[in-house]
Amino acid sequence: MGKGFFISKAAGIAMIFVGVAALSTIIALSVVYSQEKSKNNHVSPTDGGSATSKPTTTAPSNEPWDKYRLPKTLVPLHYNVTLWPRLKPDPTTGLYIFTGASFVEFECVEETNLILIHSHKLNYTAMRDGTIASLTAVSSASTPSIKSSWQQTETQYLVLQLDGKLLKGHRYQLYTSFTGELADDLGGFYRSVYTEDGVQKVIATTQMQPTDARKTFPCFDEPALKAYFDITLYHDEGTVALSNGQEMETTVRNLDDEKVLVTTFERTEKMSTYLLAFIVSDYDHIENIIDKVQIRIYARKPAIAAGQGDYALNITGPILKFFEEYYNSTYPLPKSDQIAIPDFNAGAMENWGLITYRETALLYDEAFSSNSNKQRIATIIAHELAHMWFGNLVTLRWWNDLWLNEGFASYVEYLGADKAEPDWNVKDLIVLSDVHRVFAVDALTSSHPLSSKEEDIQKPAQISELFDAISYSKGAAVLRMLSDFLTEKVFTEGLQSYLKEFAFGNTVYTDLWKHLQMAVDANKLNIPSSVNDIMNTWVLQMGFPVVTIDTTTGLVSQKHFLLDPDSEVTTPSPYNYEWIVPIRWMKTETFQNLTWLTAKSATNNDMKVTGDSEWVLVNCDVVGYYRVNYDNGNWNKLLHVLNTNHPSIPVINRAQLVDDAFNLARAKIISTVRALETTLYLKKEREYMPWESALDNLDFFFLMFDRSEVYGPMQEYLRNQVTPLFQYYKTETENWAKVPKGHMDQYNQVNAISLACKTGLPECQGLVQTWFKQWMDTDVNPIHPNLRSTVYCNAIAAGGVAEWEFAWRKFENATIAIEADKLRAALACTTKPWLLNRYLEYTLDANRIRKQDGTSTIVYIAQNVVGQSLAWDFVRARWNYIFTQYGGGSFSFSNLINGVTKRFSTEFELQQLRQFKKDNANVGFGSGTLAVDQSIERTQANMKWIDENKENLLKWFSDQIKIMP
């Protein structure tokens, strides 16, 4: 069937009531607004509302309203929600507010005399009988009265106690009228502000995931409680209203002596509350229709006029078509709106039919955007469109399985982007961006399994903690591994039947395993155990193995890989930290058949080598989620191949050898000197991925040694290694006049300039300062967008106040978000402490730095060796304020804590970190809770590593300098 659901006779009568109710809603909204205007001292919407809050007690409570999960007594069927956001502050209170009215029809599935419905920071308007809600029976003659009501602030409920029972199998309607604050907190229904032609403009927009729909209207705010939604938005003349459904009509009404537009939307499909979106703006849009699907890109009028939405519009159609084929399922909605929001904490949000983005994640301008910006736009659009089926059409039952939702989208985003840009080879970059990234976190004892127990994830703060690198990047890595060993054909067959069976419903992660197993059986695929048994070793225990190959005996073994081998693993594992490991490998340039390691160790005689010319390379293209070590002889052979004939090793595996070696060294499995030997061949390397892998790992050396005597010799060695690459790109680009042709080549040109300048190559430093001075002198920017981030940073670092002030003025006046982001990061590169301190103060001033950018700007400052201690002192001193004002983002706190403590490597810093955890135990850390423990663990590991390696590394770098030509 199409939209809606089968209407029984009783429900049909109820729909007549809803029609009448729509008129009463209009009246109610007007009355509520009049009441709000007339109040001089009314309760702020952020105070928890006009319903009485029951006092909380410290004693454990077994009352339903003190539990964070809804009782299984009521199931929502349909909502009718009307909202009216005010884009101007109330003249009396100065608050931006919204008013609303909601009908929710629900079925009682278990007798009860209690209604619990999520509500947070809403004020309710009293009915004529004095109650704050109205309850009506749809399918029975009698309705119990509301005996008492209050808001339970801690668990975020509106509680309604009844004087009789709701009957099983009967339907009821609950009506409420309410007011909320249209705050600037980036959560729920909030406001975003921007300036256009000197005029400040306000947008009303939303971010519901994970638990903020309840800040917008009372609802059963759990992902499994799907329902249909009829939405109506009241908005000012000259503005456009958008929601998940297609607009049906817009009419004009006179309310409270002002003309108001009223836009009604088609009923949504059956969906979860966290995917709802409501937006009012004066934006413009461009559109296209592909296979009867309306695709629209909305943004600020100047952005649309400048063509900044064109790229997103051009690639959305092909990506949608790709996913329709990949899922074997037609796009389930009539439209796909995508909108760029100036203030938005996440990168994007997959609201069904109305996807919201940061401006930098949707808008592309060739004059300002780098190829990195362009790739980010392509992958994020693909990520969000992937969710339209996986996550929205079929939704995980509870947040403990968030990893499957986000991990899957984080994997297939590369497939979708590859369809849009087939010349980029973007699928390879998952290894650098996700696999290597998450290895660093998952090798700590403070990591966690992909899937949590449902009962362990209850509170909103616990849910927010799940939005981390493990869920996104490890989820992507293990699903990529699964697709590889099953083959894409089998993987997609299982995926397609999964989506078909559970469309518009909810699942747990093992439902996908069942469908993949059905595909395995149908294709008679030979794997060593069931999909469930194999994958549970990767999903239900944290971490990953290092697989060791002894090519002299053929012995293959596995061990839980820990960056700090002396750390104690206190988290129990159902599999004793052993994994069922698929192994793709090659022997002296020849790819071999897939093999498996199903025990702690096993002998594979095919992996024995004879003679000096044979070598073994394991984990081809890094499709497996594990690191690899070899016997000393095989390491020597691989290093010899790198130095004499590096193209005979696939490019991804050249990056892998570098990354594995450095991390094996940190874990004391091989020597740090052996790891550094993998960088000797880089003088001959021109490919991006090995260089990026080396720089990612050398960043750790910079962090550990940029305050010590090792720094000088290290700089000199790396300057010598990068100079040939710098000269190569100078020649390729005809003295920097042209752009390299390949996508990866453009990335590596940036690496060449960045490292050459960082290590003090005079030609590079002169180049960037000349470009920047030319810009300052002429006000015409000569720097190609690909190079701006690194040029801006290096020029500001080498300059003084004049350069910083110039960049700040450019930042303040930037109308292109992508350009503003480059300048914002570069401003943190100054070496002047007083400028960095001033910049830190700016981060918490929303008039200077947008709230969405506050925490990342602090991290940029902390990455600067001069700014490290300043940023840490700042965060410690302001934590309470930062936590309460900047808590809307999925990653913001974990990124902030990890970012400002990355360089920690002394006993003093460790003690400060422990004291920070203790001092703020009552304030809390939100999504950064785990990051605090990870930072303590990482600091301890850093201290040990420096103690064990400093002298050897000083000698090695010094020795290399002596033998340089």
Side-chain angles (χ1 to χ4, degrees):
M1 291 180 68
K3 289 185 174 61
F5 51 93
F6 176 76
I7 301 176
S8 65
K9 183 178 179 182
I13 296 167
M15 298 313 287
I16 297 170
F17 174 71
V18 170
V20 176
L23 178 60
S24 66
T25 298
I26 295 165
I27 298 167
L29 282 171
S30 181
V31 169
V32 170
Y33 184 47
S34 299
Q35 289 174 344
E36 290 300 325
K37 285 185 73 174
S38 66
K39 291 177 185 175
N40 291 323
N41 297 302
H42 72 283
V43 178
S44 162
T46 56
D47 287 345
S50 53
T52 308
S53 286
K54 278 206 170 181
T56 55
T57 60
T58 53
S61 167
N62 202 34
E63 297 291 357
W65 50 78
D66 287 326
K67 296 177 180 176
Y68 286 90
R69 293 295 302 274
L70 286 164
K72 301 183 187 302
T73 52
L74 308 175
V75 175
L77 304 171
H78 168 251
Y79 294 82
N80 193 316
V81 180
T82 303
L83 294 165
W84 184 4
R86 310 307 198 282
L87 302 187
K88 295 175 183 173
D90 182 277
T92 306
T93 64
L95 290 174
Y96 288 83
I97 66 163
F98 64 89
T99 49
S102 169
F103 292 90
V104 56
E105 181 176 330
F106 58 86
E107 181 177 345
C108 178
V109 294
E110 201 176 294
E111 266 196 8
T112 182
N113 62 355
L114 179 70
I115 296 174
L116 291 184
I117 187 166
H118 284 113
S119 173
H120 187 44
K121 297 186 177 181
L122 294 174
N123 280 338
Y124 289 90
T125 305
M127 305 287 139
R128 288 176 183 171
D129 61 1
T131 62
I132 60 168
S134 171
L135 182 65
T136 313
V138 174
S139 52
S140 64
S142 61
T143 308
S145 299
I146 297 171
K147 184 171 63 174
S148 62
S149 60
W150 69 91
Q151 292 208 64
Q152 195 71 6
T153 307
E154 175 64 26
T155 47
Q156 302 180 353
Y157 289 131
L158 173 62
V159 184
L160 303 173
Q161 286 186 317
L162 311 177
D163 66 358
K165 297 269 190 177
L166 299 177
L167 302 178
K168 182 178 179 179
H170 289 244
R171 293 183 178 185
Y172 301 86
Q173 274 195 344
L174 185 70
Y175 171 79
T176 52
S177 177
F178 47 86
T179 306
E181 184 183 358
L182 198 69
D184 62 351
D185 57 359
L186 312 181
F189 206 10
Y190 72 93
R191 75 179 186 274
S192 175
V193 180
Y194 65 99
T195 300
E196 189 175 290
D197 298 327
V199 177
Q200 181 174 285
K201 299 201 169 185
V202 178
I203 304 169
T205 185
T206 52
Q207 171 60 34
M208 306 303 198
Q209 191 186 43
T211 58
D212 277 338
R214 64 193 68 174
K215 278 182 67 182
T216 307
F217 66 101
C219 55
F220 298 94
D221 198 11
E222 294 188 359
L225 295 175
K226 291 186 170 185
Y228 299 91
F229 295 84
D230 284 306
I231 304 299
T232 301
L233 292 177
Y234 286 56
H235 52 109
D236 297 342
E237 284 192 299
T239 62
V240 175
L242 297 172
S243 189
N244 305 81
Q246 194 83 280
E247 307 95 279
M248 287 199 297
E249 66 168 356
T250 298
T251 57
V252 181
R253 297 193 186 278
N254 283 302
L255 287 179
D256 204 32
D257 299 325
E258 59 179 303
K259 282 186 178 179
V260 178
L261 301 180
V262 181
T263 299
T264 55
F265 299 89
E266 288 183 2
R267 177 173 292 184
T268 68
E269 295 287 3
K270 191 177 183 183
M271 61 183 286
S272 302
T273 49
Y274 79 87
L275 295 168
L276 289 166
F278 320 120
I279 299 174
V280 173
S281 71
D282 75 342
Y283 276 9
D284 203 352
H285 76 280
I286 50 175
E287 67 176 276
N288 203 349
I289 294 178
I290 296 180
D291 293 343
K292 299 181 182 178
V293 176
Q294 183 183 37
I295 298 170
R296 299 185 295 190
I297 308 295
Y298 280 86
R300 293 174 293 107
K301 287 174 181 174
I304 292 295
Q308 292 171 26
D310 294 356
Y311 180 65
L313 185 67
N314 292 337
I315 65 173
T316 294
I319 293 173
L320 269 180
K321 291 303 298 176
F322 166 76
F323 282 124
E324 285 189 324
E325 294 167 11
Y326 188 75
Y327 295 131
N328 191 26
S329 172
T330 305
Y331 178 68
L333 303 178
K335 67 151 178 135
S336 174
D337 287 343
Q338 298 177 91
I339 185 166
I341 307 296
D343 298 285
F344 192 74
N345 219 330
M349 177 60 210
E350 66 268 20
N351 314 301
W352 216 7
L354 177 53
I355 305 171
T356 44
Y357 295 82
R358 277 195 182 205
E359 289 188 328
T360 53
L362 187 67
L363 304 180
Y364 175 78
D365 188 314
E366 197 168 353
F368 293 93
S369 305
S370 67
N371 68 320
S372 171
N373 300 137
K374 194 174 189 179
Q375 182 189 310
R376 181 169 185 250
I377 290 166
T379 52
I380 290 181
I381 287 175
H383 181 108
E384 305 311 324
L385 292 178
H387 274 311
M388 299 300 106
W389 290 264
F390 202 102
N392 297 9
L393 179 66
V394 178
T395 310
L396 276 305
R397 187 176 71 193
W398 186 241
W399 298 106
N400 61 309
D401 283 335
L402 172 80
W403 73 270
L404 184 56
N405 188 26
E406 294 300 348
F408 183 85
S410 297
Y411 164 48
V412 299
E413 71 181 48
Y414 291 94
L415 310 186
D418 183 64
K419 185 69 176 180
E421 299 285 359
D423 297 333
W424 284 358
N425 293 324
V426 72
K427 287 193 284 189
D428 294 348
L429 294 179
I430 191 173
V431 174
L432 296 175
S433 301
D434 287 282
V435 182
H436 286 177
R437 170 191 178 219
V438 76
F439 272 163
V441 178
D442 207 21
L444 302 173
T445 58
S446 52
S447 186
H448 63 89
L450 276 170
S451 189
S452 309
K453 291 179 181 176
E454 190 170 340
E455 60 268 23
D456 291 342
I457 308 299
Q458 300 281 313
K459 301 178 182 180
Q462 292 170 329
I463 295 168
S464 294
E465 281 182 49
L466 295 174
F467 288 81
D468 66 359
I470 298 291
S471 293
Y472 283 74
S473 295
K474 182 177 181 177
V478 299
L479 289 167
R480 173 174 173 259
M481 176 175 69
L482 172 61
S483 175
D484 178 76
F485 73 71
L486 290 184
T487 72
E488 186 169 316
K489 176 181 182 291
V490 172
F491 183 78
T492 52
E493 278 182 22
L495 176 63
Q496 289 164 7
S497 66
Y498 166 83
L499 290 171
K500 186 176 180 181
E501 177 174 341
F502 295 107
F504 304 105
N506 294 84
T507 62
V508 293
Y509 79 91
T510 51
D511 291 321
L512 179 59
W513 294 172
K514 288 173 190 171
H515 280 263
L516 291 172
Q517 187 62 49
M518 287 160 51
V520 166
D521 296 341
N523 286 274
K524 297 183 170 57
L525 185 70
N526 183 28
I527 53 177
S529 191
S530 68
V531 172
N532 185 76
D533 289 349
I534 293 169
M535 292 309 295
N536 280 352
T537 67
W538 300 95
V539 169
L540 298 180
Q541 59 183 348
M542 69 179 188
F544 57 90
V546 52
V547 174
T548 300
I549 318 296
D550 188 333
T551 60
T552 62
T553 63
L555 184 68
V556 184
S557 59
Q558 62 168 295
K559 184 181 179 183
H560 183 193
F561 180 80
L562 294 169
L563 270 180
D564 180 359
D566 301 324
S567 58
E568 184 183 354
V569 179
T570 57
T571 306
S573 160
Y575 301 100
N576 199 29
Y577 292 105
E578 290 181 20
W579 290 263
I580 300 177
V581 185
I583 297 177
R584 291 211 179 272
W585 63 294
M586 65 190 301
K587 194 173 195 177
T588 321
E589 299 187 58
T590 303
F591 289 98
Q592 309 294 316
N593 291 329
L594 175 71
T595 187
W596 291 83
L597 179 62
T598 59
K600 189 86 172 169
S601 62
T603 298
N604 184 333
N605 289 320
D606 291 337
M607 288 189 177
K608 287 183 184 177
V609 297
T610 55
D612 293 337
S613 60
E614 274 196 336
W615 46 268
V616 166
L617 182 75
V618 165
N619 202 10
C620 295
D621 290 339
V622 194
V623 290
Y625 185 68
Y626 53 89
R627 293 203 180 278
V628 183
N629 185 32
Y630 303 96
D631 61 279
N632 204 42
N634 199 63
W635 268 117
N636 287 332
K637 291 175 183 177
L638 290 170
L639 289 169
H640 178 72
V641 173
L642 283 178
N643 284 305
T644 57
N645 185 24
H646 66 269
S648 63
I649 295 175
V651 64
I652 297 178
N653 288 99
R654 301 205 295 274
Q656 174 218 12
L657 285 171
V658 173
D659 193 66
D660 277 354
F662 273 92
N663 283 277
L664 291 168
R666 284 185 66 185
K668 295 190 254 187
I669 294 171
I670 66 173
S671 73
T672 305
V673 165
R674 167 57 47 100
L676 283 168
E677 288 170 350
T678 65
T679 69
L680 289 169
Y681 96 100
L682 287 174
K683 291 183 82 165
K684 304 173 187 175
E685 181 66 86
R686 300 295 175 263
E687 294 287 346
Y688 166 68
M689 289 188 68
W691 264 107
E692 182 65 19
S693 181
L695 293 179
D696 283 347
N697 283 285
L698 289 166
D699 271 346
F700 175 71
F701 281 59
F702 279 107
L703 287 171
M704 294 302 99
F705 294 132
D706 60 8
R707 299 178 287 180
S708 84
E709 67 271 29
V710 179
Y711 191 60
M714 181 174 76
Q715 260 198 321
E716 192 171 343
Y717 167 73
L718 292 173
R719 181 168 64 245
N720 185 62
Q721 294 300 92
V722 78
T723 297
L725 188 70
F726 181 83
Q727 295 300 333
Y728 168 80
Y729 279 110
K730 180 181 177 181
T731 303
E732 283 288 302
T733 60
E734 298 179 15
N735 201 23
W736 315 107
K738 292 184 176 180
V739 178
K741 289 180 181 177
H743 184 65
M744 302 279 197
D745 283 332
Q746 291 175 40
Y747 279 167
N748 216 22
Q749 181 195 22
V750 175
N751 279 342
I753 293 174
S754 180
L755 185 60
C757 283
K758 188 174 186 175
T759 55
L761 185 67
E763 186 179 350
C764 181
Q765 292 181 330
L767 180 71
V768 300
Q769 289 175 63
T770 299
W771 280 339
F772 200 83
K773 188 174 188 307
Q774 187 179 334
W775 185 23
M776 291 176 69
D777 291 345
T778 66
D779 209 35
V780 176
N781 193 337
I783 307 160
H784 189 276
N786 285 354
L787 307 179
R788 286 183 181 177
S789 289
T790 189
V791 171
Y792 291 175
C793 179
N794 282 287
I796 289 170
V801 177
E803 285 79 6
W804 199 94
E805 293 288 3
F806 173 80
W808 176 254
R809 286 195 301 275
K810 290 296 180 184
F811 170 75
E812 284 189 303
N813 295 319
T815 57
I816 310 293
I818 278 172
E819 178 70 2
D821 265 12
K822 291 179 173 68
L823 289 160
R824 181 170 59 85
L827 286 162
C829 297
T830 181
T831 56
K832 304 291 184 286
W834 69 271
L835 284 172
L836 290 171
N837 267 325
R838 185 172 76 177
Y839 197 24
L840 281 166
E841 294 295 337
Y842 287 1
T843 63
L844 300 188
D845 180 349
N847 293 317
R848 287 190 165 102
I849 303 290
R850 288 188 180 277
K851 269 196 167 185
Q852 66 178 22
D853 298 325
T855 54
S856 62
T857 307
I858 297 169
V859 172
Y860 288 145
I861 294 167
Q863 287 169 352
N864 180 342
V865 64
V866 180
Q868 160 70 64
S869 59
L870 306 177
W872 171 235
D873 290 345
F874 183 80
V875 168
R876 284 190 299 160
R878 308 294 181 86
W879 180 253
N880 190 30
Y881 181 81
I882 293 170
F883 183 76
T884 53
Q885 296 296 314
Y886 286 72
S890 302
F891 283 108
S892 56
F893 288 152
S894 59
N895 281 352
L896 176 61
I897 291 167
N898 280 320
V900 297
T901 61
K902 250 185 182 178
R903 200 181 259 102
F904 281 14
S905 56
T906 67
E907 181 64 35
F908 180 63
E909 287 164 333
L910 177 63
Q911 293 309 320
Q912 285 188 321
L913 191 48
R914 285 174 170 155
Q915 191 64 42
F916 173 67
K917 179 181 178 181
K918 182 180 176 183
D919 290 346
N920 293 284
N922 292 331
V923 177
F925 301 98
S927 60
T929 303
L930 193 58
V932 176
D933 291 330
Q934 289 168 342
S935 297
I936 291 171
E937 186 180 351
R938 185 175 56 243
T939 302
Q940 291 171 314
N942 290 348
M943 290 165 60
K944 285 185 200 168
W945 186 85
I946 287 176
D947 188 50
E948 292 162 0
N949 290 284
K950 184 177 176 181
E951 295 305 319
N952 285 340
L953 294 182
L954 181 59
K955 182 179 185 305
W956 191 85
F957 284 123
S958 301
D959 289 346
Q960 292 303 315
I961 292 167
K962 290 173 187 173
I963 60 174
M964 282 177 186

